[in-house]
Amino acid sequence: MRAIGGPSASPVTLWQAPAGAVGENRIGDTLSPRTPYESVTRRPLAWGGYRAFRMISPPTTRCDLHLHSSASLTTGQWFSQYFQAPESYADPREQYDLCRSRGMSLVTLTDHDSIDGGLQLVGLPGFFLSVEVSTRFPENDCAVHVLVFNVTPAQHAALQRLRASVYDVCRFLRREGLAHSLPHPLMSPNWTLDATTLEKCLVLFPTIESVNGLVDRRMVGDTAHLLAALTPELLGELAARHDVALRHGSPARHATTAGSDDHGQRRSGSICTEVEGTHDAAAFLERVMQGAGRTVGQGGELNSMAVCIQQTTYKHFRRGAGSARERGNPFVDAMDVLAGREPHASAREPRGRADILEALTKAAGRARIAPGPTLDVLRNPQVPSDTDDRAVVDAVARLSDTLAASAAQDLCAALVEFDLYGVLASTNDLAAAVGVAAPLLFAADHFGRQEQQARRVWAGWTATPRPRRQTVLAVFSDAPASANGVAKSHADLAASSIAAGHRIWFARCDAAPPSRESATLPYPALARFPVPFYAGMEICIPSLAATVDRLWREQATHVEVATPGPMGLVGLIAAQLLRLPVTATFHTDFSEMLRLFTPDPTAASLAHAYLGWFYRRVDRVFILSEAARPRLAEYRVEPGRIALLPSGIDPGDFSPEHRSASVFSDLGIDVRGRPVVLSVGRLSAEKNVALIVDAVRACQSWPQPPLLVVVGDGPLAASLRSDAGDVPFVSFVGTQSGVVLRELYASASAFVFASEIDTLGLVNLEALASGVPLLVPAGSPISDRLRHGEEAHVYSLDASSLVQALGAVLTDKDYAEHLSVNGRRASLTQWDHHARADAWQALAGSPPDLALA
C-alpha cells in the first residue's frame, strides 16, 4: 500500500470498494462502475485535507452470462401472449454500454433463439456472441433452456435445427466444444419439470446457473443445497438409471454461472460470473467450465421482478404512441404521473381518460408521493439496487391503494344514492387501480409458479436429501383483537407455536399511512368501515399489493384464512397468486348469522353463495365439530377437503384448582350463598344472552334463586343492561381475562351457553376444563361432542327448557358433581388428543407437498 497525493491533493474520484472487499466480490456485493483492479480510500489528516491510499486488488474478469435485448424471441409466457408483446424492449447497444459502465469486462447477449441483437455488437471490445436455446425433453415435452456461449452464426443455425430434442442439442454442444450452462435449473418455462427430468438435467449439463436475477431468491438456497449434495458416483448412477450419456471433460462437481436475466436494462450487469485474472472470452469461458468461476449478486427480488414487468409493460403500451391504434392506458398514465412527466396524448382518447388522469394525480397527492426521476421506471441507476426498485414499486402500490380506497368510498355512496353515473365513474377508477398494481401481481404470480414447481419437484425427489426451509404459517382473520373465541384461539396457537420453535405471522392492519417498508409492524388498511348491523364491529380491507409483499417477505409457506371477511378474502387471493397452500377454519356460519340481523332473505342468500365460493377455493376446510360437516356439504365443499381440527384447552390453564372464595366480592358482587350461573362471551345477538337472562329471571321464585354473572362486552351490552334494569339477580362485569376469568369459571355453579351459530364455542372448552357443570343447547355444534347427562346437560333452546335444565343442575348436587367430574375428564382427553395431533401440524402441514422443517 502506498500513499498518493497530500493535504492539497485534488479530490480522488476513483470508485471506492465495499468495506472489506479486496480483490474478490461475493454474492450480495454491489458492483463497481469499472472492474475494480484498484480502489481508493481517503483518511482525514489532523491539519485538514485528506490523504488517499491506493489499494491494489488482483485483476478479475466479469461477465453477465444471462442477458436479453429487443431481439429476443418470446418463450410463450402467457403475459407476452395475452398482450402480444415481446419479452424485451432493451436496445442491444444500450445493454452493451450499461454492462461496460457497470464493471463488466466482457459482454454477451443470450436472446431467446436469436443472435440478431448480438450481430449488431460483433467487433465491440469484449463482446462475444451467445444465445439461449429453447429445447425440450421429447419423452415428456418438458421445456428447458440452454445458455450457449461464444457461438458462430453457423453453430446457432445448427442449434435451431436441433432444438426439438435436448439430447441432440447436448450432443452438438459436446462435439463442437461449446461452453454452455443450464439456466434456472428448478424452473421449466412450461412448468412441467419433475424430479426425474431434473435428474436427467444434472447428468446432461456440466454447468448450472446457480444465481438468476429473475428467479425467486428463496430458491437460490435450494440450488446450492442440491449441487453440494451431488457426487461423481451419484451422477454416474443417475446416468445409468436414465440411460443418458454423462457429460465429458467436466470437473468433478458442477461448475456454476450467474446472470441478471435482464429484459429491460435496469439490472443488466448487476449479477455476473467472475474469474480471477484478465482473460479474453475464450479463456474466460474455459475457466468457467472448469469450475473456476464465482457468482456475484443475488437471486430475484419481488420488486425487481415487478420493475422488470413494469418496464416492459410501459414500453409495450407506449410503442404505438401517436398511431391510430394507440390508446391511453391507466398504467402508462400512472407511471408518467410518478415520473413527473406530462402524460402523452393518445391518438384515440378513451372516454373518461381525463377523469382517470385527474384521479391519478389527486391520489398521488393524498398518498404523499413526491413524483420525480427516482420513481421513473425508465431510469436505469448506475448501481442497481433493491432499494431503488422498492421505491418505485412502493410508490405504484401506494398510488393504486389510494385510488382504490377513494373509488370504493365513491362507489358505496353512489350505490346508496342510486347514482348510475357515479357507479360508472367509480368503477372506472377501481379498474384503473387494479391496472396500476397489475405488474406487481404478475410478478407474484410468476414467483408463485416457480415456488410451486420447485415444491412439486422436491415432493418426488429421492436422489439426495431434500433442501429444508423453515415452515412459516401466515394467519388472516377479520375477528377483533378483543375478547373473541377466534382471537383467543389464535393467541393460544401463537403461544404454543413460538414455544415449539415454529414461525407464525398474523396479518393485521393499522391506521398508519401506506407503507410496505416494515418487516415487523402491521401493514396499513386500504379502507375501514363499520358493520352497519353490528355495532362496534369494524371491517378492515387490506391492500392486496401490501399483502402479497408481506407474504413474500415473511417467507410464508402456508396460509390459514380463519374468517371469510375482507382480510380472509385478500389473504386467499394473495396466497393463490403466490401458489401457497391455503386452509380455512369454519368458525361461524355467517349466512345463518345474517338472518339474525336482517329480515331480508336476499342478504343471507348472497352470503350463502359467497361462502360456498370461498370455502371451495381453499385446499382444506377445518371444522371444530362433526356437526359442521353437513353445513359445509350445503356449501358444496368436497367431503375429502373437510377435516376435523384438534381443539382443546390446557387443563393446567383452566382448572377447578382456580376456585376462589373472594372472586365475586372482589368484583363487587354480593353472592349471599346463592348459586352462580355464569355466561362468558361477546354480547351480541348471535350469543343469545337475553335468553339466559329471561331464564334466570324465571328462577327467582326458587328458595335459593340463582345469580347470573355476565362476562363480556359487545354491541348489545347497553340494551341488555337496560332491559335488566336494577334487578339484583344479574351482574354485568365486562370483559375479564387472566386469573380473574379462570377464578370465575372455577367458582361458578353452572355455565350456560345459548348460541346455535358458533361451530364450537371456546368458552365451552374453558368451562369443561374448569370443572363447572355445562349447559348447552340441543342442535349446537358443541352438543355433538358431548353426551347429555354425562359431560353436559343438553336443553332445548327456549327459556322454559333452560329453566328446567338449571333446576336439574342447581338443585341436585350429585348430578352437578357428576357433570363436573365427567366434563373435566372429557377436557383432559381432548387436550391429550389435541397435543398429540398438534393443531400447528394440521394447519402448516396440509397439504403435505413441502419438504419443509
Side-chain angles (χ1 to χ4, degrees):
M1 182 181 295
R2 58 186 176 86
I4 59 173
S8 60
S10 300
V12 177
T13 58
L14 295 179
W15 173 77
Q16 183 168 334
V22 179
E24 181 176 311
N25 289 325
R26 295 296 186 182
I27 291 177
D29 288 350
T30 300
L31 296 183
S32 65
R34 282 289 177 189
T35 304
Y37 299 153
E38 296 183 352
S39 60
V40 172
T41 59
R42 300 198 303 168
R43 297 178 182 174
L45 299 174
W47 59 85
Y50 291 87
R51 173 163 297 185
F53 294 86
R54 188 181 303 277
M55 300 171 63
I56 306 301
S57 302
T60 58
T61 303
R62 282 175 165 173
C63 184
D64 182 343
L65 287 177
H66 197 160
L67 185 65
H68 296 279
S69 76
S70 56
S72 191
L73 301 179
T74 180
T75 58
Q77 293 295 326
W78 72 267
F79 177 84
S80 297
Q81 291 181 330
Y82 182 83
F83 290 105
Q84 296 181 335
E87 290 192 328
S88 173
Y89 286 91
D91 179 75
R93 180 56 192 257
E94 291 179 3
Q95 287 286 54
Y96 173 86
D97 291 339
L98 276 170
C99 283
R100 292 290 282 182
S101 71
R102 289 170 176 169
M104 297 299 101
S105 318
L106 302 173
V107 180
T108 194
L109 291 179
T110 54
D111 286 327
H112 293 294
D113 302 309
S114 172
I115 58 172
D116 292 348
L119 289 174
Q120 301 175 36
L121 307 178
V122 171
L124 292 177
F127 181 80
F128 59 94
L129 199 62
S130 301
V131 67
E132 184 170 7
V133 179
S134 303
T135 183
R136 294 172 181 267
F137 282 86
E139 62 269 31
N140 62 1
D141 203 41
C142 178
V144 291
H145 289 170
V146 185
L147 299 172
V148 184
F149 309 115
N150 210 17
V151 299
T152 65
Q155 289 170 330
H156 164 66
L159 284 167
Q160 291 304 298
R161 291 192 297 270
L162 297 171
R163 67 189 184 93
S165 169
V166 67
Y167 303 111
D168 293 339
V169 168
C170 287
R171 276 192 288 269
F172 179 83
L173 295 175
R174 293 171 183 175
R175 184 171 67 248
E176 296 291 311
L178 286 169
H180 58 284
S181 177
L182 175 70
H184 39 74
L186 295 178
M187 189 193 83
S188 165
N190 66 348
W191 311 108
T192 56
L193 184 68
D194 56 24
T196 299
T197 306
L198 178 58
E199 289 180 356
K200 296 176 183 178
C201 286
L202 296 173
V203 173
L204 286 171
F205 296 99
T207 307
I208 302 292
E209 182 186 66
S210 60
V211 181
N212 179 296
L214 293 184
V215 171
D216 192 332
R217 67 178 51 171
R218 294 175 300 176
M219 297 169 61
V220 172
D222 290 6
T223 304
H225 174 91
L226 173 63
L227 296 181
L230 292 172
T231 63
E233 293 76 18
L234 176 58
L235 289 171
E237 292 176 9
L238 295 178
R241 178 187 304 172
H242 301 296
D243 193 24
V244 175
L246 188 62
R247 73 273 171 94
H248 298 289
S250 60
R253 293 184 179 273
H254 282 82
T256 58
T257 63
S260 65
D261 202 359
D262 180 81
H263 290 67
Q265 299 177 339
R266 193 173 180 95
R267 286 279 179 166
S268 56
S270 64
I271 299 170
C272 68
T273 307
E274 177 184 74
V275 170
E276 291 284 359
T278 303
H279 305 282
D280 61 13
F284 170 80
L285 292 171
E286 182 180 6
R287 295 285 290 152
V288 169
M289 293 293 287
Q290 290 172 350
R294 295 189 297 260
T295 59
V296 179
Q298 291 184 309
E301 217 264 3
L302 185 62
N303 288 319
S304 62
M305 184 71 192
V307 169
C308 175
I309 296 175
Q310 285 172 343
Q311 281 190 325
T312 304
T313 303
Y314 182 89
K315 291 179 179 179
H316 171 67
F317 286 115
R318 285 293 305 272
R319 79 190 191 284
S323 68
R325 64 184 174 83
E326 193 271 337
R327 297 175 63 89
N329 179 277
F331 172 76
V332 173
D333 291 338
M335 301 313 295
D336 285 337
V337 167
L338 293 176
R341 284 190 295 266
E342 185 70 26
H344 74 287
S346 60
R348 291 191 298 161
E349 193 76 7
R351 182 178 300 175
R353 183 181 179 222
D355 293 335
I356 290 177
L357 275 171
E358 182 182 5
L360 287 168
T361 303
K362 289 182 177 179
R366 287 195 300 272
R368 300 180 181 180
I369 298 173
T374 58
L375 300 182
D376 187 356
V377 74
L378 299 182
R379 183 178 75 95
N380 296 311
Q382 181 59 42
V383 181
S385 70
D386 292 347
T387 302
D388 286 331
D389 289 342
R390 188 167 183 80
V392 174
V393 177
D394 182 63
V396 173
R398 289 164 58 192
L399 180 63
S400 172
D401 290 348
T402 305
L403 184 61
S406 176
Q409 293 173 352
D410 292 344
L411 179 61
C412 291
L415 288 172
V416 170
E417 298 174 7
F418 202 64
D419 176 7
L420 294 182
Y421 290 103
V423 169
L424 291 175
S426 55
T427 302
N428 283 340
D429 287 353
L430 280 173
V434 174
V436 169
L440 176 63
L441 305 184
F442 290 152
D445 176 77
H446 192 69
F447 274 12
R449 284 171 177 262
Q450 293 179 18
E451 180 75 2
Q452 184 184 48
Q453 183 170 238
R455 289 201 306 268
R456 187 169 59 246
V457 169
W458 296 134
W461 185 256
T462 58
T464 66
R466 302 179 189 180
R468 301 183 68 82
R469 271 187 258 151
Q470 185 176 17
T471 301
V472 181
L473 175 64
V475 181
F476 290 81
S477 172
D478 298 271
S482 58
N484 171 280
V486 177
K488 290 174 70 176
S489 65
H490 286 168
D492 292 342
L493 176 63
S496 60
S497 299
I498 293 172
H502 300 309
R503 277 194 59 198
I504 188 167
W505 174 67
F506 288 90
R508 64 185 182 91
C509 293
D510 63 10
S515 172
R516 300 183 303 123
E517 289 295 327
S518 171
T520 56
L521 296 177
Y523 59 92
L526 180 67
R528 296 173 183 271
F529 57 88
V531 179
F533 51 78
Y534 204 102
M537 177 72 80
E538 183 182 63
I539 291 294
C540 167
I541 303 178
S543 159
L544 177 59
T547 302
V548 166
D549 182 82
R550 282 302 297 271
L551 282 177
W552 188 81
R553 295 192 187 287
E554 295 290 342
Q555 300 185 45
T557 58
H558 296 73
V559 170
E560 155 72 5
V561 286
T563 56
M567 284 290 292
L569 176 61
V570 171
L572 171 62
I573 295 172
Q576 291 189 329
L577 278 171
L578 290 167
R579 303 300 200 281
L580 298 175
V582 187
T583 61
T585 303
F586 188 60
H587 286 282
T588 303
D589 191 339
F590 287 100
S591 63
E592 288 300 313
M593 185 174 169
L594 270 175
R595 300 182 195 278
L596 300 175
F597 296 101
T598 173
D600 185 357
T602 304
S605 297
L606 290 174
H608 188 279
Y610 165 71
L611 291 172
W613 174 89
F614 181 89
Y615 288 116
R616 289 194 299 272
R617 290 300 177 278
V618 303
D619 297 306
R620 186 163 299 178
V621 183
F622 287 107
I623 55 177
L624 302 176
S625 69
E626 289 295 338
R629 198 179 291 273
R631 189 59 177 159
L632 285 173
E634 294 179 19
Y635 288 128
R636 294 187 289 117
V637 178
E638 296 176 10
R641 291 190 175 191
I642 304 172
L644 187 66
L645 181 68
S647 56
I649 292 295
D650 187 343
D653 196 13
F654 288 86
S655 166
E657 296 180 1
H658 293 298
R659 186 173 291 112
S660 169
S662 62
V663 62
F664 297 115
S665 60
D666 290 344
L667 292 172
I669 303 172
D670 186 4
V671 176
R672 300 181 187 175
R674 292 174 291 178
V676 174
V677 176
L678 183 65
S679 171
V680 179
R682 186 168 176 80
L683 302 185
S684 51
E686 75 277 10
K687 300 301 183 182
N688 218 357
V689 178
L691 175 70
I692 304 175
V693 175
D694 290 342
V696 175
R697 178 184 285 111
C699 299
Q700 294 308 299
S701 60
W702 293 359
Q704 281 190 307
L707 172 68
L708 175 62
V709 176
V710 179
V711 177
D713 204 349
L716 292 186
S719 62
L720 286 171
R721 291 175 186 270
S722 176
D723 292 345
D726 295 328
V727 295
F729 66 84
V730 181
S731 293
F732 294 89
V733 297
T735 301
Q736 301 294 331
S737 61
V739 174
V740 175
L741 181 61
R742 296 182 184 93
E743 291 180 346
L744 284 171
Y745 273 118
S747 305
S749 306
F751 180 86
V752 178
F753 186 69
S755 172
E756 288 184 303
I757 302 298
D758 292 66
T759 57
L760 181 64
L762 186 64
V763 292
N764 293 309
L765 303 186
E766 293 172 345
L768 287 171
S770 299
V772 56
L774 176 64
L775 286 72
V776 297
S780 63
I782 184 62
S783 67
D784 182 66
R785 297 178 53 164
L786 304 171
R787 295 173 298 170
H788 172 62
E790 295 297 328
E791 294 88 14
H793 186 100
V794 181
Y795 66 93
S796 299
L797 194 60
D798 59 72
S800 60
S801 295
L802 180 53
V803 169
Q804 294 177 8
L806 288 171
V809 173
L810 298 180
T811 61
D812 187 337
K813 293 184 177 180
D814 291 338
Y815 181 53
E817 180 66 16
H818 180 75
L819 294 178
S820 175
V821 171
N822 287 340
R824 172 69 177 176
R825 184 180 296 117
S827 178
L828 293 172
T829 301
Q830 289 174 358
W831 176 251
D832 181 58
H833 174 68
H834 171 79
R836 282 185 288 105
D838 191 357
W840 165 272
Q841 183 59 36
L843 293 172
S846 175
D849 60 349
L850 292 170
L852 298 168

